[in-house]
Amino acid sequence: MHGDFEAQRHWMEITLHLPISQWYFHDLEWWGLDYPPLTAYHSWVLGKLGSMIDPNWFTLYNSRGLDDPNLKIYMRATVLVSEYLTFVPALITLTRSLGRIQRVDVWERFIAVAAIMMQPGLLLIDHGHFQYNGVMLGLTLASLSSFYANRPLWCCFFFVASLGYKQMALYYAPAIFVCLLGVCCFPRLRLGFLVRIALVTLLSFSLLFAPLLLGGLRRGVVHHDPEKVVDGLPILSSISILAPYLQDHSSWYYPAIQQLAQSVHRIFPFARGIFEDKVANLWCVANNVIKLRQYPTALLQRASLAATFVTILPPCIILFLRPRSDALLYGLASTAWGFFLCSFQVHEKSILLPLLPMTVLLAQRDGLAPSTRAWVGLANELGVWTMYPLLKRDELKTPYVVVSLLWAYLLGLPPTSFSAYHKNRHHPNGSISSWENVLHWTFYALMVVWHMLEASLQPPEGKPDLWVVLNAAIGAAGFGLCYLWCLTQCLTRSGLMESKMMTMPAAPKTEPAAETGAKSPVRRTRYH
């Protein structure tokens, strides 16, 4: 139980019993709080409610590692309730907006909602491994729903709330930013609208951090090596002009600076390394060839920043130039894939972020066409498969098999069905190509063979992580293909290619010569 379950329980007790100024400082060696303030406020509410049922669940120090069956029931119930208050209504609202804009059949919309709610990765991580990712993803869906409903100010508010709940929502930030910026710039510059978006964003962040900063001002300086705490915020300590003011411990505003610095230092733990465990991304795979941990952390940070920038730049350019509803989900998925594959400090559970916008594609027009279903299905099946080593440690092998197969059956995907790879009379133009067939079946075969080898053979001596490393390598290759598919679809749906073709002059056409009495043919050139 000394995992994410204990971390969430511990955050409930520290927010319940300690002043807000101590939340990001208290006993950091024992699951110290390392999520943004909205997670802390949520933990405080759940701790208050739980302590009314049994105060012994959240007694500071004495309840560490508590293994009470009733506590487990309560904690898992909080995941369900939190999800049904955020994720479910946001999803229904979003699919209604998409259905109205793109004229999606109501039954297809219902199927899409069921498939998105039953995402195997989200179910197993939040309800098995134990997390509250559904809250963050639900706030992101609310932001998207506001964008489709032409309410960009609410889009900003909900997305700041998503960032304020879990910093992983940064995976979506570039796409959301450039899309809103594109709306302000095209077809004409709307400076006043841009200012309003900026003000709402700043106000939302201010509301998010206000209780924390006010608590710091009220309680004063927290005596936990404050100089080190300020250094934990490089962007401030590196500004030489402000450094004397930021490090002035006697100033009235220093406690607020300390709270801000410590919270950011905890939220962005760059000291942990470039990846965690064996995650299916670029750096974990490259580490098998070049031992990355031998290089300075600063160098690895710059390398990951450069690689991430290269992967997210194309979809961001597309969304800026064409902030269209048809391209948004593809661009959002592309940027999330770029972050997952190339960014710093990626965890296996971060795969949920690119999977969400990809799965929401099912709710679009022709979302249940074989081609879209096949790619969405491959991404989800491959995603939950790469989490198998983590789920196995948590003794979730049986739920992994059951949930994965049920979801595959719902969408007609291997190994329960093959309808996604057959021509469909309802979607004649959405069939999957032969080369896509080959790629997909290769990955499905690799997943099955890997499971057989992992279950029947012990890894050789000296290579105890062989199967896990192989799992990560196959997953990274498949996710790279998903990124390319999303990027290609983003470009196609944006209409950029169509407008380019329309602006190119057509080849000159020649009128035929007169049938009689013509000394020489007359050429008349037409340009379209």
Side-chain angles (χ1 to χ4, degrees), residues 56-76:
N56 295 322
W57 290 345
F58 308 110
T59 54
L60 202 60
Y61 300 111
N62 295 330
S63 60
R64 287 187 174 181
L66 188 64
D67 193 19
D68 186 342
N70 292 327
L71 172 63
K72 295 179 185 178
I73 294 173
Y74 170 74
M75 294 281 282
R76 299 200 181 280

Side-chain angles (χ1 to χ4, degrees), residues 145-161:
S145 178
S146 301
F147 181 86
Y148 283 113
N150 199 24
R151 295 174 180 172
L153 300 183
W154 280 107
C155 174
C156 296
F157 174 79
F158 283 119
F159 189 69
V160 170

Side-chain angles (χ1 to χ4, degrees), residues 4 9 83 95 113 164 190 202 212 228 285 288 343 400 476 494 518:
D4 284 334
R9 188 209 62 80
E83 194 170 280
T95 54
V113 168
R190 295 188 287 174
L202 289 174
L212 188 67
K228 182 178 180 181
V285 174
N288 296 301
S343 65
Y400 161 80
S494 68

Side-chain angles (χ1 to χ4, degrees), residues 228-248:
K228 182 178 180 181
V229 171
V230 172
D231 289 339
L233 193 60
I235 194 171
L236 293 182
S237 60
S238 62
I239 304 175
S240 57
I241 298 176
L242 297 178
Y245 303 99
L246 297 175
Q247 299 180 14
D248 183 6

Side-chain angles (χ1 to χ4, degrees), residues 370-413:
S371 178
T372 304
R373 268 193 300 139
W375 278 102
V376 172
L378 177 68
N380 275 274
E381 296 287 357
L382 195 61
V384 73
W385 176 75
T386 58
M387 289 190 288
Y388 177 78
L390 174 68
L391 300 172
K392 181 182 178 182
R393 289 199 300 269
D394 289 344
E395 300 181 354
L396 294 172
K397 290 191 291 184
T398 300
Y400 161 80
V401 173
V402 173
V403 172
S404 300
L405 292 180
L406 280 175
W407 196 81
Y409 179 76
L410 172 65
L411 290 178
L413 297 167

Side-chain angles (χ1 to χ4, degrees), residues 487-509:
L487 180 59
T488 304
Q489 292 296 315
C490 181
L491 180 61
T492 304
R493 304 293 179 115
S494 68
L496 278 173
M497 298 300 293
E498 294 175 9
S499 59
K500 184 177 179 181
M501 292 295 293
M502 289 177 65
T503 56
M504 291 178 63
K509 296 181 180 180

